[in-house]
Amino acid sequence: MSAGKLTGAVVAEHNSKDSCWIIVHGKAYDVTEFLPEHPGGQKIILKYAGKDATEEFEPIHPPDTLDKFLDPSKHLGAVDMATVEQEEKAFDPEEAERQERISRMPHLEACYNLLDFEVVARQVMKKTAWAYYSSGADDEITMRENHAAFHKIWFRPRILVDVEHIDMTTTMLGTKCSIPFYVTATALGKLGHPEGEVVLTKAAHEHNVVQMIPTLASCSLDEIIDAKQGDQVQWLQLYVNKDREITRKIVEHAEERGCKGLFITVDAPQLGRREKDMRSKFSDPGSNVQSGGDDIDRTQGAARAISSFIDPGLSWKDIPWFKSITRMPIVLKGVQCVEDVLRAVEAGCDGVVLSNHGGRQLETARSGIEVLAEVMPALRERGWENRIEVYVDGGVRRATDILKALCLGARGIGIGRPFLYAMSAYGLDGVNRAMQLLKDEMEMNMRLIGAPTVADLSPSLLDTRGLLGGHSGVVPSDTLGLSAYDPLQVPRFNEK
Ligand SMILES: Cc1cc2c(cc1C)[n+](S(=O)(=O)[O-])c1c(=O)[nH]c(=O)nc-1n2C[C@H](O)[C@H](O)[C@H](O)COP(=O)(O)O
């Protein structure tokens, strides 16, 4: 012991399956018995047996994970970190190139739209982080269709409308919001930024935008809720655990802490096959997947490793139970056809999110905006349009995308990746700029459409015939036009 603390040498003696100690945030833990239960497999823990595992642990696990899930008897106490041998990191040419690009990255002001953040983030993010955020399922057709679908809808703007004063405010689940979009739930925020989801919390407060807190956040639920200010509104996104008592505790705690909506994710009974994420794990020098020596198939990437608790048995019969454990409005996130929206109304749900999980789940599922165009007329013909709030997410990159969804009848629009990329590349300043760019675009486009308030946004302002074109998959491209087209510039990296 050194000054009443464990030394690195003592911890290093416990470096095998038979006796496995790790160090996280300066404390030692005996995880020997936990090894077979680890959702991410044993190999990743054994890689750090007897060593400091903090860097690997941090982005994937909320800080209270060990307190919550590891028996106190296995908490071995503080380690004198001065005695811990820090491993010499082998030179990583890819990391050196990434750092060099960071040194040349464009100024924040060079980002003029949400896609600009994606261009920069791709160059400056760590490979595994980029892979996790950017990946979609299988061939990523749905992921790309999510954005492409908005280009099938055209506006029918009205003129000579007094649009001097633009009012973007709306209400979502009874909450007044300054703009009709929200930060949707996206897991593992610390893959992109060391502060993780609390960065999104701060920006959401700045712009009076609702934040949906992910079950699989890197930050703990309490950290994210503690980061909110004043009457800032947060919702909880829930992956339902096979152990319903764990789920009950999470829901009750979130309600006690002031969350104003429960969004139950229903499109992920199993997480989708995201090959960029899988591939980046496969090439991860630390994993032994090549040798096939891992006891859990880590070729499935981070997604599969963190989601084994999700209950594939979740069904409509569970809705009454959720209504019995919370007074929060209940919204089903990931609904993808009219029939299930009508069923949600009959089940007494307060809302649905028309979503395919950002194209990360079922490949060739239709985009949320296309489903929205089908759902709202079906609700209106039954007189049910006010019985349920309909949200949509997926592929939203411009305010015109938001306005098209509002015209079709959406209550609010969820945005995921753009805020992750803005955060990963430029931190809080990036997310603030992204939200401000959207606000500026919204104000201008509401003027140009001839709709000064959200209530003025109606289906009559749209031409949706393009959505009826089906999914030929091979869109005849305007080759001549494209060859003449001077593509938009993207932020440029400074010359070497
Ligand atoms: C980009 C992204 C999306 C995730 C997401 C993680 C990332 C990195 N994760 S995931 O790890 O399980 O796939 C979640 C999640 O935790 N829970 C959830 O309901 N949706 C999750 N989604 C889906 C998200 O809530 C939106 O449906 C989707 O991001 C909207 O599409 P855009 O990214 O194009 O805005």
Side-chain angles (χ1 to χ4, degrees), residues 317-380:
K317 71 174 175 10
D318 292 298
I319 299 299
W321 179 75
F322 282 103
K323 292 165 80 74
S324 73
I325 65 167
T326 181
R327 286 182 310 286
M328 289 189 283
I330 292 174
V331 181
L332 303 184
K333 177 177 183 288
V335 177
Q336 301 176 63
C337 69
V338 173
E339 296 86 334
D340 282 342
V341 174
L342 300 178
R343 183 128 190 219
V345 176
E346 289 159 344
C349 296
D350 301 279
V352 292
V353 183
L354 303 179
S355 169
N356 53 46
H357 214 102
R360 296 162 69 83
Q361 289 300 109
L362 177 62
E363 175 65 317
T364 65
R366 293 180 303 163
S367 65
I369 193 71
E370 295 181 61
V371 177
L372 180 67
E374 206 175 80
V375 160
M376 293 316 293
L379 287 174
R380 291 188 187 109

Side-chain angles (χ1 to χ4, degrees), residues 19-35:
S19 178
C20 180
W21 292 9
I22 57 167
I23 300 169
V24 176
H25 297 133
K27 291 179 182 167
Y29 298 89
D30 179 350
V31 292
T32 312
E33 290 165 24
F34 175 69
L35 281 171

Side-chain angles (χ1 to χ4, degrees), residues 35 40 112 275 292:
L35 281 171
Y112 284 86
E275 290 180 8

Side-chain angles (χ1 to χ4, degrees), residues 47 60-61 131 199 253-254 359 435 447:
K47 182 180 150 195
I60 307 278
H61 307 81
V199 174
H253 183 62
M435 291 187 176
R447 281 209 170 87

Side-chain angles (χ1 to χ4, degrees), residues 132 184-185 237 239 265 274 333 357 360 393 395 397 416-417:
Y132 188 69
T184 190
Q237 172 272 323
Y239 275 133
T265 296
R274 303 148 190 189
K333 177 177 183 288
H357 214 102
R360 296 162 69 83
D393 75 24
R397 301 295 181 267
R417 291 182 183 88

Side-chain angles (χ1 to χ4, degrees), residues 28 32 145 355 371 382 386 395 398 421:
T32 312
E145 174 67 10
S355 169
V371 177
R382 289 168 176 77
N386 296 317
R398 287 279 187 185
Y421 295 145

Side-chain angles (χ1 to χ4, degrees), residues 129 131-135 143 146-147 182-188 191 212-217 237-239 263-268 271-272 274 303 306-307 310 333-334 353-361 392-397 414-421:
Y132 188 69
Y133 287 175
S134 64
S135 56
M143 184 178 81
N146 278 347
H147 185 52
Y182 58 88
V183 180
T184 190
T186 52
L188 302 187
L191 281 179
M212 191 190 296
I213 300 173
T215 298
L216 293 176
Q237 172 272 323
L238 183 71
Y239 275 133
F263 284 66
I264 302 172
T265 296
V266 296
D267 60 6
L271 285 200
R274 303 148 190 189
I306 60 174
S307 58
I310 297 173
K333 177 177 183 288
V353 183
L354 303 179
S355 169
N356 53 46
H357 214 102
R360 296 162 69 83
Q361 289 300 109
V392 66
D393 75 24
V396 173
R397 301 295 181 267
I415 298 177
R417 291 182 183 88
F419 296 143
L420 288 177
Y421 295 145

